[in-house]
Amino acid sequence: MLAVLAPGQGAQKPGMLTEWLELPGAESFFRWAGAIADADLLTLGTTGDAEAIKDTAVTQPLVVAMSLFIARELGGLPGPVQHTPQAGRDVVIAGHSVGELTAAALAGVLSVEAAIALTAVRGRAMAAACALTPTGMSAVLGGDPDELAAALERHGLVAANINGGGQTVVAGPLDALAALKDDPPGKARVMPLSVAGAFHTDFMAPAREQLEGLVGGLRPAEPSRLLLSNADGAAVSTGAAALARLVSQITSPVRFDACLATMRDLGVTAAIELPPAGALSGLAKREWKGTGIEVLAVSGPGDLDRARQLIEAERGRAEAQYSPDWRVVVAPARGTVAPAELAEGTHVPAGAPLGCIRSRREEVGVSAAYAGVLAEWLVQDGDLVDAGDPIARLYPEVSV
């Protein structure tokens, strides 16, 4: 099985488009993508300095457009094939943060145009949210997780990205981040990141609300490839669920460590990171050390031939079947949860009601997407949840 990794904000570098413009159609693609995003992506990606491409409003569509162009240049990925969440196929796709919009397009949930347009709206909305309060992010490398958790609570910070490979990105007010750097947990290094604000925290709530008001106009398709979510590393079963998670992740932590664990459990044999590549490849290599999984960062045109070889190898390989031990039922909306009166261990048929989510505006039902056994409730009556938050675990029903 081949994994495709789509990077997020922070992966950008000055001049990152320059060497790719030698490829046929590159210049016109980025002019077209820039028209959709209402930003001069071609200039930003060639002559823009580090400060210019740090701007969240333009960085996000630039990164997504670049990844999508190189995916197209690779001639597409294995498939498309139809699958269910219980059956893995020859490719699995995962994006990091805004890279999840790239992943959604590669999985067939969104068109390339819709992915770029939604990314541009997301970037502008998050930039506006960043301007409201001086916040930022820092990478914490190494250290004891319990000591880090205690330090974050002490300083009023949150873990915004749990990336795997011993890396956690924390976020919050700038003075709190400075205090953490001055007094880091034992054996940990704290590195401030060049980002505009505290992404994936409640500081981004205005941006999330803006996207919530827009996505109802989209009509997502069902995933035609195995698509993993940053929320919990689980496969997304429907286009609607993928879209809901793309909105909720704006204020929710990125669990890329869970995505890497799922890919390892799926039996991934190789991984390709789309440009601007490097960050996710490094995480994967550290997390998968000793597994023999080949990880390729497509850093320049010279890497395309090897990427094509890895894709072609998967086209010739028999489809792998994957039956996960359990699946997560997630909240379809934000609100207060009212679980159904079902005891753990109860068999539930596909479509069985599992409760509801109540907000001031509406009540949304929660049901089982497939038949299985209720393994564990992850919430209690009256708990507050966001869209995409896990509610229960089901052991899937397996046909013998």
Side-chain angles (χ1 to χ4, degrees):
M1 173 175 278
L2 177 70
V4 178
L5 312 178
Q9 188 171 351
Q12 72 276 3
K13 305 175 185 68
M16 66 186 188
L17 291 187
T18 302
E19 61 180 336
W20 296 102
L21 294 181
E22 300 173 5
L23 300 177
E27 184 171 339
S28 58
F29 177 91
F30 288 106
R31 290 191 188 281
W32 170 72
I36 296 171
D38 193 24
D40 189 351
L41 300 185
L42 187 62
T43 299
L44 286 163
T46 52
T47 61
D49 59 18
E51 191 63 28
I53 62 172
K54 174 186 172 182
D55 182 358
T56 302
V58 297
T59 301
Q60 293 188 11
L62 177 61
V63 168
V64 168
M66 185 176 187
S67 296
L68 289 172
F69 173 73
I70 303 307
R72 189 183 78 169
E73 179 64 24
L74 287 170
L77 301 169
V81 294
Q82 295 302 317
H83 71 272
T84 69
Q86 293 82 21
R89 298 293 179 175
D90 50 5
V91 63
V92 57
I93 305 170
H96 186 285
S97 187
V98 73
E100 286 206 290
L101 281 113
T102 305
L106 296 180
V109 173
L110 297 174
S111 68
V112 170
E113 293 86 352
I116 293 172
L118 189 57
T119 302
V121 173
R122 180 188 192 272
R124 289 192 292 268
M126 291 178 73
C130 290
L132 297 176
T133 308
T135 58
M137 305 178 82
S138 294
V140 181
L141 308 176
D144 180 78
D146 291 337
E147 288 187 28
L148 174 59
L152 296 184
E153 184 174 0
R154 185 166 63 251
H155 293 295
L157 299 167
V158 297
N161 302 163
I162 305 173
N163 287 331
Q167 182 190 102
T168 301
V169 175
V170 302
L174 294 178
D175 56 351
L177 291 170
L180 179 68
K181 182 171 176 55
D182 291 340
D183 183 25
K187 299 182 180 179
R189 289 189 297 136
V190 179
M191 300 173 56
L193 299 180
S194 181
V195 296
F199 304 146
H200 303 291
T201 71
D202 287 341
F203 287 102
M204 294 295 106
R208 173 176 171 159
E209 291 172 5
Q210 185 171 339
L211 258 70
E212 283 177 335
L214 294 177
V215 295
L218 294 175
R219 292 294 178 265
E222 302 305 302
S224 62
R225 296 184 176 112
L226 195 60
L227 176 65
L228 303 186
S229 169
N230 283 176
D232 50 17
V236 184
S237 58
T238 68
L243 201 57
R245 287 182 173 221
L246 286 171
V247 174
S248 66
Q249 58 117 283
I250 293 175
T251 55
S252 301
V254 169
R255 291 297 308 271
F256 201 71
D257 62 330
C259 291
L260 291 172
T262 297
M263 287 185 273
R264 182 186 58 232
D265 293 344
L266 282 167
V268 161
T269 54
I272 295 172
E273 183 186 3
L274 297 169
L280 301 186
S281 299
L283 293 172
K285 287 176 181 178
R286 290 193 293 274
E287 191 72 8
W288 296 338
K289 187 176 181 179
T291 63
I293 301 172
E294 179 177 350
V295 180
L296 174 66
V298 182
S299 301
D303 297 314
L304 290 176
D305 285 345
R306 181 54 186 160
R308 292 189 182 103
Q309 290 171 1
L310 292 175
I311 292 170
E312 193 60 34
E314 292 307 319
R315 283 199 176 105
R317 195 189 304 271
E319 290 181 351
Q321 296 300 317
Y322 170 59
S323 296
D325 294 333
W326 49 267
R327 304 305 297 174
V328 175
V329 178
V330 299
R334 182 191 298 184
T336 302
V337 64
E341 294 185 2
L342 293 174
E344 293 174 355
T346 300
H347 178 274
V348 293
L354 297 178
C356 65
I357 308 296
R358 298 190 180 101
S359 68
R360 286 179 295 180
R361 293 181 298 176
E362 60 183 348
E363 180 175 301
V364 181
V366 181
S367 59
Y370 44 84
V373 175
L374 179 61
E376 179 185 13
W377 285 110
L378 302 175
V379 294
Q380 296 180 346
D381 187 39
D383 284 351
L384 292 174
V385 295
D386 277 332
D389 282 353
I391 293 176
R393 289 196 299 129
L394 288 180
Y395 286 110
E397 190 175 68
V398 180
S399 299
V400 180

